Amino acid sequence: MRIEKNKKFLDLLLHESGPTPPEEEIQQILDSRDGVTLETVQALIDKGFLEKEFVSRLWGKSIGFAYVDPIISVITPEALSTIPLEIARKAQVIALYTLDSTVTAAMAHPEDEKLVQRLENITKTKVSPVFALPCEIEDAIEIHYSTEQSIADSIGEFEKKEGNLLERLSQEDLSSLGASQSLINVVDALMYFAIKQGASDIHLEWTEADALVRLRIDGRLHEILRFSRSVLPAIVSRLKILTGVIISENRFPQDGRFSLSIGTNKADFRVSFIPTIYGNNVVLRILPMTGNRQLITLEKLFMSQDIVKPFRRLISSPNGILFVTGPTGSGKTTTLYSALKEINTPDKKISTIEDPVEVRMAGVSQSQVNSFIDLKFSHLLRSILRQDPDVILVGEIRDFETAKIATEAALTGHLVLSTLHTNTAIQAIVRLIEIGIEPYVVAPSIIGVLAQRLAARICDFCKESYQPTQRTLSKHFHDSAGTDVTFYRGVGCPNCRQQGYKGRVAFHELVVVSEQMRSLISRNAGLQELKEAAEKTGYRSLRYDGLLKVLIGLTTIEEIERHSSLEWSS
């Protein structure tokens, strides 16, 4: 029997919410005599009056079922296939996994025994229900049931409904189409599928004959779908509406942001529009879901021991500036968050300036730049120094003013963590001077630089070992003749879309600035001199650490070659 009004939940909420007086809106609910509905609880969560994790577990406890968030749960294709899409939507249920011939399914109403029985008749197996919020189930269904075909179907439905209009699109038509439900379904289907695949970017591109969708997954672009060119202007207009940029502007590049609700969280998208000879190409960068990204430790970054130990010493320094460098999408922010997690203690005041704030960190004062009101890194950094911080994270140093304030802060008793876009760790030192900071200021302020790359990780489900050729060994290793070395590769399986890779792994190089290096920096020495001095304190190149990751079976030699230059290390 389905519970409509739940009085036991009220009793548990009163018992477990603690001595803090509840908000007035919550108190009105608590005063109810006959219980509350799940919809009422969802509304209180949406308004921020109740913490989602706490209240969801409480509701599950009140009806006798465990709570599971299907947005972040592992959902297996085997289990998903047991319940057809239309039934999943209608019954508000999604199958999670199969164990011992039993399907565990997240349901909005797991206490409904008749519904569970009907699901068992459909799946032809026993169903073990758990509780999940309806909004989480609905969005998990849209994500996990999405396929290339579902995107094509959405586009086909849109073309069928708006076909006549697409042939003679005017600017007014584009504006009205942008709000049509069939077009919203197309754009949502694209985003849901990209999230399901773990993509970092969605590329929407013109070609001479048609339009193209590609996803960047684990650092590689994959073609997903081709469709009629007549549909792409409508999709672009929908994205411009979401980002709030000018729909009619097709001559100049434009940038914007928007968020997509996923359960009780949000996925953020950074969008770039650029004019081409055919029309606007669009790239959507998918940022981690708000409230859903977990802070990870340095160990989980698979940082080598000869790097993680000195890196820990650097982030424990009382002052100085420490850079993490690498191209866009190389995991610099993740590494900096991991560093902050490690040093975040009650006796330290930590302030950050980010673009955007990707993870909320307890005990950290976080600020976000805003280009619309000209709130830059430099403006915030100057003000934050008046807040008596011990540690400052500056998301990126792009200009002289920010660099000047950051180096001065490092010299006046603050530890500054930041990023630069350089290919190697040593180049970051030279880059700071090129920005305009005097060598005699750079030398005493900079304490270290960590360079980082991401390589695709070998899929654990289809990994196999093999013996590399002598030619390969000679290319990458000194004195490799007669050496017995084992490499690994993925052969391809359904879990990795037959690619052989699933996920990514970082490899690094670290420069710890020594007194000899400070002397060289002060007299504006070249890269080669700085490198030779760094090697005396244990510096090894990116390629060296990458090869270590190859030897322990985390990635392939091909991936290391793609992301690092060949350079012998002594």
Side-chain angles (χ1 to χ4, degrees), residues 104-174:
T104 297
M107 302 174 63
H109 294 282
E111 77 281 7
D112 190 337
E113 296 177 359
K114 290 183 178 179
L115 177 57
V116 174
Q117 182 61 55
R118 288 199 295 272
L119 291 173
E120 289 181 337
N121 293 337
I122 293 167
T123 62
K124 307 298 183 187
T125 186
K126 181 175 175 56
V127 172
S128 174
V130 293
F131 167 67
L133 292 171
C135 65
E136 293 175 336
I137 293 173
E138 290 167 8
D139 288 339
I141 287 171
E142 297 308 313
I143 291 171
H144 289 282
Y145 280 88
S146 64
T147 62
E148 291 97 327
Q149 187 58 50
S150 67
I151 300 172
D153 290 344
S154 296
I155 292 174
E157 182 182 334
F158 172 65
E159 285 186 286
K160 184 178 179 180
K161 185 176 180 180
E162 308 289 355
N164 293 332
L165 188 60
L166 290 175
E167 294 177 2
R168 48 178 178 77
L169 278 178
S170 66
Q171 203 58 55
E172 291 73 19
D173 294 331
L174 280 174

Side-chain angles (χ1 to χ4, degrees), residues 3 24 42 48 51 63-64 159 165 263 267 313 400 410 429 446 450 477 492 507 563:
I3 296 174
E24 182 179 346
Q42 179 68 63
E51 198 273 321
I63 61 175
E159 285 186 286
L165 188 60
R313 290 197 297 270
F400 169 75
I429 299 170
I446 192 165
L450 179 79
F477 297 94
F507 58 106
H563 297 288

Side-chain angles (χ1 to χ4, degrees), residues 19-78:
T20 303
E23 298 279 353
E24 182 179 346
E25 289 82 352
I26 301 176
Q27 186 61 56
Q28 291 175 1
I29 298 300
L30 294 176
D31 290 340
S32 173
R33 299 299 181 198
D34 56 350
V36 296
T37 65
L38 182 55
E39 289 72 20
T40 304
V41 173
Q42 179 68 63
L44 291 172
I45 295 172
D46 293 341
K47 292 177 180 178
F49 293 128
L50 293 174
E51 198 273 321
K52 189 265 292 189
E53 191 75 15
F54 165 73
V55 76
S56 298
R57 295 190 184 282
L58 213 60
W59 184 274
K61 185 177 180 180
S62 70
I63 61 175
F65 293 89
Y67 164 70
V68 172
D69 184 347
I71 301 296
I72 61 175
S73 298
V74 175
I75 297 179
T76 66
E78 177 190 9

Side-chain angles (χ1 to χ4, degrees), residues 202-313:
I202 306 171
H203 290 246
L204 299 169
E205 304 167 334
W206 292 86
T207 72
E208 190 173 354
D210 51 26
L212 173 66
V213 178
R214 295 195 290 174
L215 300 182
R216 188 173 295 280
I217 304 170
D218 297 333
R220 295 170 178 247
L221 276 174
H222 301 267
E223 182 176 323
I224 300 301
L225 183 70
R226 288 179 180 267
F227 57 95
S228 170
R229 285 163 52 101
S230 64
V231 177
L232 189 51
I235 294 176
V236 172
S237 71
R238 173 62 188 164
L239 291 170
K240 286 189 174 185
I241 289 172
L242 288 172
T243 54
V245 302
I246 301 171
I247 297 177
S248 59
E249 179 56 75
N250 294 310
R251 300 165 301 168
F252 294 98
Q254 293 175 287
D255 296 291
R257 299 174 186 270
F258 70 93
S259 297
L260 175 69
S261 293
I262 305 288
T264 56
N265 297 313
K266 289 183 179 180
D268 294 319
F269 293 81
R270 189 171 65 211
V271 190
S272 170
F273 304 89
I274 191 163
T276 71
I277 57 173
Y278 299 118
N280 271 280
N281 277 2
V282 188
V283 176
L284 294 86
R285 166 62 54 89
I286 306 173
L287 302 172
M289 280 193 285
T290 303
N292 196 39
R293 180 172 175 179
Q294 300 297 314
L295 293 171
I296 62 175
T297 62
L298 293 175
E299 284 79 6
K300 290 186 178 180
L301 292 176
F302 292 100
M303 201 176 277
S304 302
Q305 283 301 306
D306 59 347
I307 290 178
V308 73
K309 288 180 179 178
F311 185 71
R312 278 201 167 104
R313 290 197 297 270

